[in-house]
Amino acid sequence: MRTTAVRDGDGYRLTGHKVFSSAGPFADFAIVVARMAGTEEESYSAFLVDLDSPGCRVTDGATPMSGEHIESDIVLDDCRVPAANLLGEEGKGLRIALGRVTVNRLLHCPSAIGAARRALHLTRDRALTRTVNGKPLLALQAIQHKLADMAADLYAARSMTYAALAALDRGEDVRTEAFMCKLFVAESAFRLLDEAVQIHGKDGLTQGHEIEYLFRKMRMFRVLTGTSEIQRNGIAKGLATLA
Ligand SMILES: Cc1cc2nc3c(=O)[nH]c(=O)nc-3n(C[C@H](O)[C@H](O)[C@H](O)COP(=O)(O)OP(=O)(O)OC[C@H]3O[C@@H](n4cnc5c(N)ncnc54)[C@H](O)[C@@H]3O)c2cc1C
């Protein structure tokens, strides 16, 4: 994080550029984590920044491969933020940001599970209705096995997400479980969509087909809200405390 915050009287001045800020086109404010300038040790603080503040610009930014454009770049150029907009204590911003990430990660999983379920249903229907050599695709054991693996992946992804969310509701610390859910849900949804494309044949490769869109969307989920590699790093750190 290269965005910096400099103390300025009873406030701060922020300078930096954040790409891919979700909900940027319609958000009123952003939570910005910035490095405190002039401190020897790395120290980060979190701020609520009104996006119509002088010195703050919200620009279009790049379009991701899903084709949906709900992100913006947020450009801060000596943007003044009053002290009242400091979130928590100065220097504790990273803890605030990372604390929020566990819940955020878990809340993204149901969207991916929904997309995977939709893909499984479309693929099952396709295998029932598409005939080759006078028989439905579903009569082929090779296709049955693919669908069986897809269904098992989906069931596992959904079960572990429900279990982690229930534990979160009980007030338990689910940091490691959230890493596991994000990793497994993203990887299994991508596997499932890859097979869905395969079973759909040329239609799965055709722009504008729902399966083609879901494939691109699930490909992104292996990077968004923390890449699969970062989830594995987190799980490895949590191994010592696993029951
Ligand atoms: C559509 C979209 C929306 C987004 N919305 C937001 C948002 O609202 N807020 C926000 O803050 N960010 C957002 N992001 C950013 C997103 O979280 C990052 O793109 C993602 O975390 C990966 O970071 P990076 O792109 O800098 O990749 P890099 O960090 O450059 O990683 C590149 C590769 O190196 C690997 N890698 C990096 N570090 C390690 C490591 N320590 N160990 C092992 N492997 C490693 C990664 O796993 C990856 O495979 C969004 C991105 C997109 C595309």
Side-chain angles (χ1 to χ4, degrees):
M1 280 183 293
R2 292 195 295 267
T3 296
T4 53
V6 182
R7 277 192 216 105
D8 175 37
D10 62 350
Y12 300 86
R13 290 195 175 272
L14 268 57
T15 299
H17 184 155
K18 175 72 180 81
V19 298
F20 277 126
S21 306
S22 293
F26 37 85
D28 293 325
F29 65 88
I31 299 171
V32 175
V33 179
R35 182 172 178 171
M36 298 305 297
T39 52
E40 293 238 325
E41 277 188 25
E42 278 189 29
S43 160
Y44 297 89
S45 302
F47 302 91
L48 288 174
V49 177
D50 285 321
L51 293 177
D52 56 3
S53 308
C56 174
R57 275 186 304 125
V58 180
T59 64
D60 268 356
T63 305
M65 72 192 289
S66 67
E68 289 161 344
H69 198 34
I70 56 154
E71 295 82 23
S72 299
D73 282 15
I74 296 177
V75 186
L76 301 164
D77 185 8
D78 215 19
C79 175
R80 192 161 195 294
V81 177
N85 288 26
L86 176 72
L87 266 183
E89 285 173 48
E90 202 180 282
K92 298 281 162 57
L94 214 49
R95 191 177 300 176
I96 291 171
L98 293 178
R100 186 186 152 271
V101 162
T102 293
V103 178
N104 191 38
R105 216 170 258 144
L106 277 175
L107 293 181
H108 272 84
C109 289
S111 308
I113 290 166
R117 184 175 63 175
R118 172 75 179 152
L120 177 61
H121 288 175
L122 287 172
T123 309
R124 176 200 57 199
D125 295 349
R126 170 77 176 199
L128 276 168
T129 52
R130 168 80 168 153
T131 53
V132 286
N133 300 327
K135 287 190 180 157
L137 274 182
L138 198 57
L140 300 170
Q141 196 178 49
I143 301 292
Q144 290 170 12
H145 283 185
K146 283 188 195 297
L147 281 160
D149 286 344
M150 290 160 74
D153 257 347
L154 178 62
Y155 183 64
R158 192 167 47 198
S159 301
M160 69 194 287
T161 302
Y162 282 179
L165 285 169
L168 182 71
D169 278 350
R170 292 194 298 271
E172 294 172 23
D173 178 352
V174 292
R175 252 171 300 178
T176 306
E177 288 80 357
F179 282 126
M180 291 181 184
C181 289
K182 169 63 175 61
L183 171 67
F184 188 82
V185 170
E187 293 297 324
S188 62
F190 178 69
R191 271 197 302 274
L192 191 153
L193 257 303
D194 189 41
E195 292 294 27
V197 168
Q198 195 70 15
I199 295 173
H200 275 78
K202 62 186 176 312
D203 286 353
L205 301 172
T206 304
Q207 283 185 0
H209 194 284
E210 191 175 349
I211 286 293
E212 180 262 350
Y213 159 71
L214 290 172
F215 175 82
R216 285 185 283 116
K217 203 160 167 66
M218 286 306 100
R219 180 62 189 86
M220 283 174 50
F221 195 53
R222 294 173 64 212
V223 170
L224 293 186
T225 72
T227 65
S228 291
E229 291 74 22
I230 295 297
Q231 310 309 310
R232 289 188 179 97
N233 290 352
I235 297 166
K237 270 193 201 147
L239 286 179
T241 57
L242 272 191

